[in-house]
Amino acid sequence: MTSVPETPAAPARAFPDGFVWGAATAAFQIEGATTEDGRGPSIWDTLCARPGAILDGSDGSVACDHYHRWESDLDLLASLGLTAYRFSLAWPRVMPTGRGAINEAGLAFYDRLVDGMLERGITPYATLYHWDLPQALEDDGGWRNRDTAYRFADYAAITQFRLGDRVRHWATLNEPWCSAFLGHASGEHAPGRTDPAEAVVASHHLLLGHGLAAQALHGGRRPAQVGIVINLYDVTPASDSPADLDAARRVDGLQNRWYLDPVLAGSYPEDVVADVAAYSDMSFVRDGDLETISTRLDWLGVNYYSSFHVRGLDAPAPGQPGARPTPWIGTEDVEVVDRGLKKTAMGWDIVPEGLRKTLVRIARDYDAPPILITENGSAWEDEVVDGEVHDPDRIEYLDQHLGAIADAIADGADVRGYFAWSLLDNFEWAWGYERRFGIVRVDYDTQERTVKDSGRHYAAIAAANALR
Ligand code: FCB
């Protein structure tokens, strides 16, 4: 009898030594306790109160009740063998009106949280701004007001003064594109405004705030590893017709280069400046701003979820703008093409190759610091069966994107770590609690946590430092 030859096991794809394996969350999405211990209101509390703004009419007042359950949530993180945690601080918890008085109880919460991480062998990666601007600053013009950038730098300095003996890794902003363009052009995010000109001003002041905060963090008494977190997409033209190529140039310009160029190269892309000229003459950019914005960074955070395939239409099609054109100001004549790819529960195309291309592009086009994948993950219609959550789609998404990262590293990209979005199901902004991204399920009635299959799968990858 001939023996059946064994199928050789697929080789494990090892990640570089020291690769960081973590999970991410954000304050407003998990903490709850929005009126406790002196926290001031934020622009997201205000937007949640606006009828129709949040899909399920919910808000962040309880969320995952993490403010009270942080110890067991850190235990959970440790039980998965993860050794890094990307969390954000709520500015209105630290400074209820965004300036002046510090709220000792708010800072004390983050003090305990950081100590709790260190006790469990978890390295903190703190994000200073994940969208929850103090409402008092919004009342004075928010990010449309240049002064907010300086207030942000003050908050960064104060926070680092208090936590910098234990926190080394700091991100200034999370996804400034969303704050500027979803917040001020499409109005889907707080502060829920719909004026393209305001979106351009806000985007500059956010970047200025980033630069000023980065300088403050570097100038503090403690060594700081400073980064910014940008959401990037691969943008491809539907054909090589001039109209499609130009559509892709414009969307890539607003979505990616509008942030990468000033932060990494100290200039705004000239073609995009020309594109937005109908809304803004950029006269608010002052001498020296771009030097500040391009302050040296120690790492670049990349959030990646999906990519866009776009077509240029012969005529503007207002009202028929494709999947998400409204925040891309001036692109009413661009349509996002449905390629028939598998989509997550957000309706986002799954394009792992876009992540590889994005990372290789950064290495090719920019003088960039090392990269951390600060968010990547997917929402699905999870079901609990006999107390378990079997989520093969999330596992597949995870494997495909980690594979894309391994490919990018092989192609020369300097990627040093990965943070799964998200540790917990949580408040998904305008979608409320209707979309679940967690590798751990949260039952919002009981606050019970259940590790999903994807959580166990991810833990095994992290333990092996390799993808099988
Ligand atoms: C990103 C956000 C994060 C989360 C994911 C799904 O844009 O940074 O808070 O909502 O999307």
Side-chain angles (χ1 to χ4, degrees):
M1 213 172 87
T2 51
S3 60
V4 179
E6 269 185 39
T7 317
R13 304 207 60 187
F15 286 83
D17 286 347
F19 197 81
V20 174
W21 294 99
T25 62
F28 191 77
Q29 295 180 273
I30 63 166
E31 285 180 359
T34 46
T35 56
E36 228 166 289
D37 292 340
R39 178 188 178 279
S42 82
I43 56 175
W44 271 94
D45 298 292
T46 307
L47 186 74
C48 288
R50 186 194 285 183
I54 310 298
L55 183 66
D56 56 3
S58 63
D59 59 35
S61 56
V62 177
C64 304
D65 195 30
H66 173 76
Y67 192 74
H68 302 115
R69 295 169 193 266
W70 61 271
E71 289 184 275
S72 46
D73 286 340
L74 292 183
D75 287 342
L76 201 52
L77 197 60
S79 76
L80 295 173
L82 302 178
T83 52
Y85 180 41
R86 176 174 176 243
F87 68 108
S88 83
L89 293 96
W91 186 351
R93 224 182 258 297
V94 176
M95 301 172 87
T97 59
R99 58 162 69 88
I102 295 165
N103 176 34
E104 191 48 41
L107 258 178
F109 170 69
Y110 296 110
D111 215 42
R112 293 193 295 273
L113 187 67
V114 165
D115 283 344
M117 287 180 226
L118 297 178
E119 279 161 20
R120 291 166 179 80
I122 298 166
T123 304
Y125 285 73
T127 300
L128 286 163
Y129 186 71
H130 203 122
W131 305 351
D132 40 4
L133 186 73
Q135 180 60 40
L137 291 183
E138 177 62 27
D139 295 341
D140 288 341
W143 291 109
R144 303 171 303 289
N145 180 352
R146 187 177 170 96
D147 186 61
T148 298
Y150 293 88
R151 303 288 71 78
F152 180 60
D154 289 349
Y155 153 64
I158 287 163
T159 306
Q160 189 206 23
F161 185 78
R162 178 64 177 266
L163 303 177
D165 56 337
R166 285 152 292 152
V167 177
R168 286 281 177 279
H169 299 88
W170 297 91
T172 54
L173 306 177
N174 178 72
E175 301 191 355
W177 179 86
C178 295
S179 302
F181 289 91
L182 296 179
H184 297 82
S186 71
E188 297 153 74
H189 280 191
R193 300 174 71 96
T194 51
D195 180 339
E198 289 186 355
V200 183
V201 185
S203 119
H204 181 68
H205 292 153
L206 279 150
L207 286 175
L208 181 64
H210 153 73
L212 293 167
Q215 290 178 344
L217 292 164
H218 277 143
R221 287 190 309 154
R222 312 282 184 174
Q225 293 280 307
V226 183
I228 184 172
V229 173
I230 304 184
N231 51 322
L232 299 174
Y233 300 77
D234 185 42
V235 184
T236 45
S239 78
D240 52 13
S241 75
D244 292 357
L245 290 170
D246 197 57
R249 178 196 62 75
R250 286 187 285 154
V251 172
D252 173 59
L254 276 169
Q255 184 77 59
N256 300 320
R257 291 182 289 119
W258 194 248
Y259 292 92
L260 291 172
D261 282 22
V263 167
L264 298 178
S267 60
Y268 281 110
E270 278 175 23
D271 61 314
V272 189
V273 172
D275 291 342
V276 302
Y279 303 103
S280 175
D281 61 5
M282 305 283 289
S283 55
F284 43 79
V285 179
R286 298 196 190 160
D287 284 351
D289 282 2
L290 280 149
E291 286 72 33
T292 303
I293 291 169
S294 56
T295 295
R296 171 183 68 81
L297 290 183
D298 303 293
W299 55 276
L300 175 70
V302 172
N303 289 358
Y304 178 87
Y305 289 94
S306 187
S307 283
F308 298 114
H309 200 54
V310 297
R311 169 183 299 148
L313 303 173
D314 291 341
Q320 305 220 338
R324 298 173 61 191
T326 337
W328 301 323
I329 60 175
T331 61
E332 290 75 12
D333 57 345
V334 172
E335 180 188 31
V336 176
V337 179
D338 187 349
R339 284 169 282 182
L341 299 175
K342 182 171 172 180
K343 294 176 175 48
T344 69
M346 298 297 285
W348 297 345
D349 282 353
I350 300 176
V351 197
E353 169 64 4
L355 175 54
R356 188 196 67 79
K357 286 174 67 186
T358 295
L359 296 171
V360 169
R361 180 232 196 135
I362 295 171
R364 185 192 64 210
D365 293 354
Y366 296 94
D367 182 15
I371 291 172
L372 293 172
I373 306 300
T374 33
E375 285 181 29
N376 172 244
S378 56
W380 300 98
E381 310 271 345
D382 295 331
E383 279 174 36
V384 185
V385 180
D386 297 334
E388 306 217 327
V389 180
H390 305 302
D391 53 346
D393 291 317
R394 192 175 283 105
I395 289 175
E396 182 183 55
Y397 182 100
L398 180 63
D399 282 349
Q400 289 175 334
H401 286 78
L402 287 172
I405 294 166
D407 289 344
I409 293 172
D411 288 347
D414 186 7
V415 185
R416 305 281 180 94
Y418 179 90
F419 292 79
W421 184 271
S422 173
L423 175 65
L424 303 170
D425 289 340
N426 59 47
F427 176 79
E428 180 45 40
W429 309 112
W431 300 82
Y433 298 97
E434 294 286 310
R435 293 293 180 277
R436 295 176 176 272
F437 276 89
I439 54 173
V440 175
R441 179 180 177 87
V442 175
D443 178 326
Y444 295 113
D445 295 327
T446 62
Q447 291 294 343
E448 193 188 344
R449 274 73 163 144
T450 305
V451 177
K452 302 179 191 178
D453 284 358
S454 60
R456 277 185 284 275
H457 182 80
Y458 182 52
I461 293 170
N465 196 37
L467 183 64
R468 283 187 179 276

